Amino acid sequence: MSLSPATTDYLHRLLIQNLDHFKSADLPNISCQTSLPLDLPTLLQTIASEDKQALALNLEELAFSHQQLATLEPENQYQLAAIEQQIFQLLGFHKPQLREPVILVIDDNPENLYLLKRTLTQGGYDVQVATNGAIALSCLHHIMPDLILLDIMMPDMNGYEVCQRLKADPSFQDIPIIFITVMDEMADRMKAFSSGGVDYITKPFSIQEVLARVTTQIKTRNLQKELQTRNEQLQQEIRARKRAEEEALRALAKEKELSELKSRFISMASHELRTPLTTIQSTVELLEHYQWTEVERLQRLEQIREAVQHMNHLLEDVLLIGKAAVDKVQPKPEWLDVVQFCQDLLAGIQLTIGKYHHIRFSSQADGLSVWLDPKLLRQILYNLLSNAIKYSAEASRVDVILTQWDQQLLLQVRDEGIGIPPEDQERLFEAFHRATNVEAISGTGLGLTIVKQCVDLQSGQITLESTVGHGTLFTVILPLQKAP
Ligand code: ATP
Ligand code: MG
């Protein structure tokens, strides 16, 4: 028998709460010998059930429904009682009595009250009485009747008013009200129904008629409640299904995205690894099969070194993205003379990849010392600048602009290159994404992903403005934090 600890606990509490309702003869044998509080696990072990697993499953389900309905009380008291009954039966208790329907009679005439109480009690109802509207209203929460028999002519507050007040209160508006009165005019009946009554009995009444009408209303009310519960269950089911559907859709989208990423990675890897590998292979073959002068041999070896370096960079990029994705990169800020830092980096780039471009640096942050991570800053500037160079024509101009503005550092890189089509702009920061207009310009689609991660790691922002055929402007904003 494997009942979850939560269900065991819930059932245990339910049993203890209801213990008073059982006569000792109702209790299963074991509980007579068990001192209180009841030892539920022992009790469960002793129940003679052929299929203990099925019993446990049944109890789990019933406990779950009970818990759900209990939150909607008092509307579901009958369903709750029915579920409790099933639970107690499964636990070996004798059938406990369902709570009798409670009827509240409101009448200022003691004789009527007495007669109705006696008759309805004999009919199997729990009858409570009130001699005027005010008393009835004050004790309603306590009694929570299933039906009200209401006299119309009463001093202070008449029946119509009591009825209207009940119908205006969400806690009581569903309780059926039967008017019971000497007033027999059609207008009186109409007023009774329009103020919210469900039935109308005239005095002097016949006991059988009252019983029959009360029973009919109680049955109708029970059916309504059942319908309401079923409706709520259905709504819950629909909500659960919708949630499951949404989750499935999300999982599907994620899977699609992953598979897209995988195929983009494969196409990038096959392009970007094949070229240096081919270089290495053919150069090694050339070195093997031909006689070379020392200078030529060194040139070939340098080609191999460059190809290996290229692959190494690629691997480093992929690893950096992987690491940052699992939050393993921690910024290590230090004091930097930001203008000097940019100038040094630009000088290096101008000598290598940017030798055919006019790179112009302008700054409104001279002498500014910033508390930033130099490695992250280098990645940002290097990647933006290498893109600006790579995606623009030789001899065209590239601007790097540095501005300090309100505790923020603005870093802008502008080029006059091929631009980025609007439909590609949104996804450029995702790994392996490349714009559709790159044509033969080679690339891995990792640079901007790294830039974005470096910006995010420093709580910054990056935006871009671009026009195809005219150029692109990337703007990075980094908050300037105080050194600890
Ligand atoms: P690498 O990983 O080698 O940098 P990449 O340059 O293709 O390869 P990213 O730097 O991530 O990758 O850039 C992604 C894409 O954004 C590029 O492929 C290109 O389509 C577009 N792009 C980025 N910067 C520019 C730019 N300045 N001008 C035009 N297109 C650009
Ligand atoms: Mg790039």
Side-chain angles (χ1 to χ4, degrees):
M1 165 106 40
S2 53
L3 213 52
S4 73
T7 307
T8 311
D9 185 50
Y10 191 78
L11 291 178
H12 191 240
R13 272 186 285 134
L14 196 67
L15 275 185
I16 300 297
Q17 276 166 19
N18 284 278
L19 218 53
D20 293 348
H21 302 314
F22 297 106
K23 297 181 214 96
S24 60
D26 292 332
L27 298 171
N29 289 339
I30 179 74
S31 60
C32 297
Q33 295 143 22
T34 315
S35 58
L36 291 177
L38 274 176
D39 177 3
L40 189 64
T42 317
L43 174 61
L44 289 171
Q45 290 306 325
T46 60
I47 296 172
S49 165
E50 285 182 7
D51 187 349
K52 298 235 173 196
Q53 193 58 35
L55 175 63
L57 274 178
N58 258 338
L59 283 170
E60 287 277 0
E61 257 175 44
L62 287 169
F64 177 74
S65 314
H66 190 277
Q67 216 165 350
Q68 300 270 304
L69 281 174
T71 56
L72 305 168
E73 251 194 325
E75 291 86 352
N76 300 289
Q77 50 190 314
Y78 283 110
Q79 282 73 24
L80 268 179
I83 292 175
E84 276 168 24
Q85 192 184 11
Q86 287 181 54
I87 291 175
F88 296 142
Q89 267 180 316
L90 284 177
L91 289 175
F93 285 61
H94 291 154
K95 190 176 172 188
Q97 283 297 304
L98 271 178
R99 192 173 77 90
E100 291 152 344
V102 178
I103 295 175
L104 173 63
V105 186
I106 310 171
D107 197 326
D108 60 333
N109 180 330
E111 277 162 29
N112 278 343
L113 280 182
Y114 173 74
L115 186 60
L116 285 168
K117 181 167 171 91
R118 208 187 57 185
T119 321
L120 291 168
T121 308
Q122 280 167 0
Y125 296 105
D126 174 352
V127 184
Q128 305 289 325
V129 293
T131 47
N132 64 47
I135 295 177
L137 290 173
S138 68
C139 62
L140 262 182
H141 263 295
H142 179 64
I143 299 176
M144 249 322 160
D146 299 288
L147 182 136
I148 293 173
L149 277 177
L150 180 57
D151 185 20
I152 294 179
M153 284 213 297
M154 292 185 290
D156 299 332
M157 196 189 299
N158 68 30
Y160 300 130
E161 197 182 336
V162 176
C163 184
Q164 276 159 1
R165 287 213 197 178
L166 288 172
K167 293 298 157 191
D169 187 332
S171 315
F172 309 121
Q173 62 189 188
D174 291 336
I175 303 173
I177 295 173
I178 301 178
F179 283 101
I180 186 157
T181 176
V182 284
M183 295 157 68
D184 196 18
E185 294 297 313
M186 183 50 87
D188 300 322
R189 287 172 182 263
M190 295 310 291
K191 197 168 175 194
F193 284 116
S194 68
S195 58
V198 289
D199 205 351
Y200 194 95
I201 301 171
T202 45
K203 292 177 188 173
F205 49 78
S206 109
I207 288 301
Q208 281 80 4
E209 186 192 355
V210 173
L211 260 177
R213 287 185 189 251
V214 164
T215 309
T216 308
Q217 288 304 333
I218 291 276
K219 271 189 192 157
T220 314
R221 170 111 174 97
N222 285 347
L223 283 174
Q224 269 172 355
K225 282 183 192 168
E226 258 170 50
L227 215 64
Q228 203 178 336
T229 312
R230 187 74 201 110
N231 210 10
E232 273 153 16
Q233 280 170 350
L234 279 174
Q235 301 276 2
Q236 266 177 10
E237 271 170 39
I238 291 172
R239 277 198 294 273
R241 268 182 206 193
K242 266 200 180 146
R243 267 201 304 278
E245 217 169 87
E246 278 165 13
E247 229 143 74
L249 281 178
R250 261 201 300 278
L252 206 71
K254 186 97 201 131
E255 207 176 293
K256 199 166 154 231
E257 200 181 301
L258 273 177
S259 110
E260 267 178 26
L261 192 77
K262 214 162 96 185
S263 59
R264 285 202 305 270
F265 174 77
I266 291 168
S267 86
M268 179 282 295
S270 56
H271 275 112
E272 291 298 303
L273 292 178
R274 187 165 291 158
T275 319
L277 278 174
T278 315
T279 310
I280 294 171
Q281 197 180 12
S282 58
T283 318
V284 167
E285 279 168 10
L286 288 174
L287 280 172
E288 260 177 6
H289 296 111
Y290 298 94
Q291 291 296 319
W292 302 98
T293 64
E294 186 56 18
V295 174
E296 284 168 336
R297 208 177 61 84
L298 283 176
Q299 271 175 357
R300 301 279 173 269
L301 286 174
E302 179 60 17
Q303 279 170 352
I304 294 178
R305 205 181 60 78
E306 270 174 19
V308 170
Q309 204 178 30
H310 179 78
M311 288 197 294
N312 233 341
H313 279 154
L314 182 67
L315 205 65
E316 268 168 24
D317 283 358
V318 174
L319 287 179
L320 184 74
I321 286 173
K323 253 205 249 171
V326 287
D327 292 337
K328 280 193 188 145
V329 177
Q330 284 296 328
K332 294 192 185 79
E334 55 186 71
W335 284 116
L336 299 174
D337 178 335
V338 67
V339 174
Q340 189 62 47
F341 181 89
C342 292
Q343 277 170 341
D344 291 348
L345 190 83
L346 290 184
I349 291 177
Q350 183 83 73
L351 282 177
T352 52
I353 54 170
K355 53 192 167 209
Y356 305 113
H357 284 76
H358 303 297
I359 305 179
R360 290 225 323 211
F361 176 61
S362 61
S363 147
Q364 290 163 20
D366 288 346
L368 178 68
S369 204
V370 293
W371 182 250
L372 287 173
D373 182 329
K375 272 195 190 151
L376 299 181
L377 196 57
R378 181 182 305 274
Q379 287 283 8
I380 295 171
L381 193 53
Y382 181 85
N383 277 298
L384 292 181
L385 209 51
S386 70
N387 279 349
I389 293 165
K390 186 158 71 167
Y391 298 108
S392 62
E394 280 179 13
S396 70
R397 192 171 126 176
V398 172
D399 282 301
V400 178
I401 307 148
L402 199 65
T403 322
Q404 184 202 357
W405 176 70
D406 191 24
Q407 286 305 301
Q408 288 176 325
L409 187 70
L410 254 74
L411 183 70
Q412 293 178 300
V413 179
R414 178 189 289 125
D415 63 60
E416 298 168 340
I418 60 172
I420 304 167
E423 62 276 16
D424 291 326
Q425 291 181 10
E426 204 180 309
R427 305 195 69 184
L428 285 189
F429 297 105
E430 292 173 28
F432 311 118
H433 258 291
R434 303 198 69 211
T436 38
N437 62 337
V438 290
E439 295 179 354
I441 306 172
S442 82
T444 58
L446 289 177
L448 285 181
T449 312
I450 292 173
V451 170
K452 176 84 169 83
Q453 284 176 350
C454 294
V455 171
D456 287 348
L457 278 167
Q458 301 182 98
S459 315
Q461 286 169 23
I462 180 163
T463 52
L464 74 104
E465 289 160 43
S466 186
T467 313
V468 173
H470 284 88
T472 305
L473 168 70
F474 277 94
T475 303
V476 172
I477 302 177
L478 296 176
L480 288 178
Q481 280 141 14
K482 290 192 179 79

